[in-house]
Amino acid sequence: MTDTTASTPAGPGRDRQGVVYRDGALGRRPAVPTSFGELERAARRASSARAWAYVAGGAGEGRTMVDNRRAFERWSIVPRMAHGVTERDLSTTVVNTRLSAPVMLAPVGAGASMAPDSDLSIARAAAATGVPYIFSNQGCNPMEDCAAVMGETPRWFQLYWSADEDLVDSLLRRAETIGAEAVVVTLDTTSLGWRPRDLDLGSLPFARGEGIAQYTSDPRFRDIVRARIDAARDVITERPEVTFGAIRTLLAMTRNHPGGFLDNLRSAVPRAAAETFLDIYSNPGLSWEHLATLRERTSLPIVLKGILHPDDARRAVDLGVDAVVVSNHGGRQIDGAIASLDALLDIRAAIGQEPTLLLDSGIRSGADVFVALVLGADAVLLGRPYMYGLAVAGQRGVEEVIRNVIAEFDLTMALTGARSIADLDKRFVRPNPSF
């Protein structure tokens, strides 16, 4: 008789399960919970009130955050049986960046409120898992330091368009120098949204010098700060009110600024840097005319993040950008904004199948990744989940969250009969009849 027995290739889903169950037999449990709900609760326990307000909070009453999740709940996955598929190809390419799975790490600012050297820990976790990381323009470690620990793992750079055009150019040059494979221009934060959790605590990380490392490491920004200090010497100003809170803020600025603590404490630079950042970090007048200059200012592929309206997506495509990130900033900017997944459907229908679309906001699991790709995304950005992993268990926590999400995505493909990313289309979902 012919031996028809064949071993089933494992894949990242079974590999991850194997690691967890083998460790369990030895009495060891995962560093972070594998369900998002438990992960979120663990991260809240591990975080300060100020850190939790910033990372977990949203705009207004939080309706956009709720709707980001409800948009996923409106869809049901419909698996096929006896499909005979034993191998899956999770790899894909977006903007000339090869992905082993259709997941990238979203840029998240002021991560050091969750854990020290947050961006370095995230960069190391990205390298360990082979997942590209989009460095935040509002990061707590300079992009050069993050790139140095990533090896050959792809990295992109997020750009907040500053009110100072020379600073924009300086940041773009640095992104090119560190080997970034794209620049992601965030469009939806030309002003900060109304965020009650932060407001009720009177807490803004940047005012404490957190999340401005890309600026304090930038030569153009340092020139602006020096000029500001020189100009202030000739102006008589009122003495600032001295309170315990003011002292704590000054000490935070001093700790978060590069250099020695005592030298910083005696210097006007840390405070001037935080104030300068708040004045120029973003340009409220950002327009399509600004964006049209990018091709002349950088050799990097251009990605626009924060688009929700089909007409804006069409304009981006007409401008010749390399990709669009459909995003409502995790529900942090406008209360009641359209859910990102709902916007994805409208935008994909408007611009056709060819342009590259990434989805950000609301991704919590591998099943969510599956639904997002079925409905038109080419890849997704993972945000809060990995930050919660960082809060609970540092670099290892980030790694485990990434592996868990990709594992569930792989198992979802296995159980539905999908062979590859190219296979994923609306055959695998239907509107949720229970919704």
Side-chain angles (χ1 to χ4, degrees):
M1 292 180 62
T2 302
D3 184 2
T4 59
T5 302
S7 61
T8 302
R14 292 184 64 189
D15 285 347
R16 179 63 183 150
Q17 287 175 325
V19 168
V20 172
Y21 290 139
R22 283 193 298 273
D23 283 349
L26 299 173
R28 294 193 291 261
R29 293 189 178 183
V32 299
T34 57
S35 76
F36 178 77
E38 289 299 323
L39 173 65
E40 186 173 44
R41 284 184 281 274
R44 184 166 192 170
R45 291 192 298 270
S47 303
S48 68
R50 187 172 59 81
W52 189 251
Y54 183 76
V55 175
E61 299 302 307
R63 289 177 296 168
T64 306
M65 292 174 63
V66 171
D67 286 347
N68 278 338
R69 293 305 307 150
R70 286 171 60 86
F72 280 94
E73 293 167 7
R74 281 196 286 270
W75 294 93
S76 293
I77 297 171
V78 185
R80 302 304 301 270
M81 297 297 109
H83 45 67
V85 176
T86 60
E87 296 186 29
R88 296 161 302 286
D89 182 3
L90 275 57
S91 67
T92 189
T93 299
V94 293
V95 195
N96 297 324
T97 297
R98 187 69 174 169
L99 310 181
S100 58
V103 175
M104 304 180 73
L105 300 188
V108 179
S113 61
M114 285 290 202
D117 283 330
S118 53
D119 301 80
L120 289 176
S121 294
I122 297 162
R124 292 188 180 103
T129 55
V131 171
Y133 179 25
I134 304 174
F135 296 162
S136 173
N137 203 155
Q138 321 301 54
C140 298
N141 299 97
M143 67 179 89
E144 291 81 3
D145 295 351
C146 293
V149 303
M150 287 193 70
E152 298 301 313
T153 306
R155 76 294 311 251
W156 294 3
F157 175 68
Q158 175 207 33
L159 176 72
Y160 275 77
W161 202 291
S162 172
D164 184 88
E165 292 291 329
D166 290 336
L167 179 56
V168 172
D169 288 331
S170 182
L171 291 166
L172 289 171
R173 284 193 298 271
R174 291 171 62 198
E176 292 172 355
T177 300
I178 64 163
E181 296 187 9
V183 58
V184 181
V185 184
T186 292
L187 305 178
D188 59 9
T189 319
T190 51
S191 299
L192 283 179
W194 185 256
R195 302 174 184 175
R197 291 194 192 184
D198 292 327
L199 290 163
D200 289 347
L201 294 172
S203 173
L204 181 65
F206 313 113
R208 299 163 54 88
E210 289 180 350
I212 65 172
Q214 307 299 6
Y215 298 81
T216 56
S217 59
D218 191 273
R220 171 57 186 167
F221 183 80
R222 290 197 296 264
D223 286 345
I224 298 170
V225 172
R226 281 193 292 268
R228 183 178 185 132
I229 293 172
D230 290 343
R233 291 194 181 104
D234 301 324
V235 178
I236 299 175
T237 59
E238 294 183 5
R239 291 176 60 85
E241 183 180 0
V242 178
T243 65
F244 286 118
I247 293 171
R248 286 195 296 268
T249 298
L250 177 62
L251 292 175
M253 290 177 181
T254 303
R255 283 193 301 271
N256 292 320
H257 197 82
F261 179 83
L262 292 178
D263 289 339
N264 285 343
L265 193 59
R266 291 188 288 264
S267 171
V269 173
R271 178 180 171 184
E275 292 173 344
T276 302
F277 167 84
L278 294 173
D279 284 345
I280 70 168
Y281 86 94
S282 191
N283 182 356
L286 181 63
S287 67
W288 289 99
E289 285 70 29
H290 289 92
L291 299 174
T293 68
L294 276 170
R295 289 293 183 202
E296 303 169 0
R297 301 168 79 161
T298 182
S299 61
L300 297 176
I302 297 163
V303 180
L304 301 185
K305 178 175 181 286
I307 286 179
L308 294 171
H309 196 289
D311 288 349
D312 288 338
R314 289 190 189 96
R315 188 154 188 178
V317 170
D318 290 344
L319 192 63
V321 305
D322 297 276
V324 163
V325 181
V326 181
S327 171
N328 56 35
H329 213 90
R332 294 167 56 75
Q333 282 298 91
I334 297 176
D335 192 23
I338 185 173
S340 291
L341 186 66
D342 292 336
L344 173 72
L345 287 161
D346 294 340
I347 289 172
R348 180 56 84 190
I351 65 175
Q353 296 304 308
E354 187 64 26
T356 299
L357 291 181
L358 292 86
L359 181 73
D360 170 80
S361 305
I363 298 290
R364 298 290 179 263
S365 69
D368 292 342
V369 178
F370 184 89
V371 170
L373 268 66
V374 162
L375 295 180
D378 293 291
V380 304
L381 306 188
L382 191 67
R384 284 189 179 96
Y386 83 75
M387 288 301 295
Y388 293 167
L390 177 72
V392 174
Q395 176 185 335
R396 182 182 171 190
V398 178
E399 289 183 29
E400 288 199 5
V401 167
I402 295 168
R403 295 188 196 281
N404 291 344
V405 169
I406 293 175
E408 186 184 5
F409 173 65
D410 176 54
L411 291 170
T412 305
M413 289 187 66
L415 291 166
T416 55
R419 297 177 183 273
S420 67
I421 302 304
D423 263 359
L424 299 180
D425 60 29
K426 288 184 180 179
R427 293 172 299 166
F428 289 103
V429 297
R430 60 167 291 184
N432 184 352
S434 301
F435 189 79

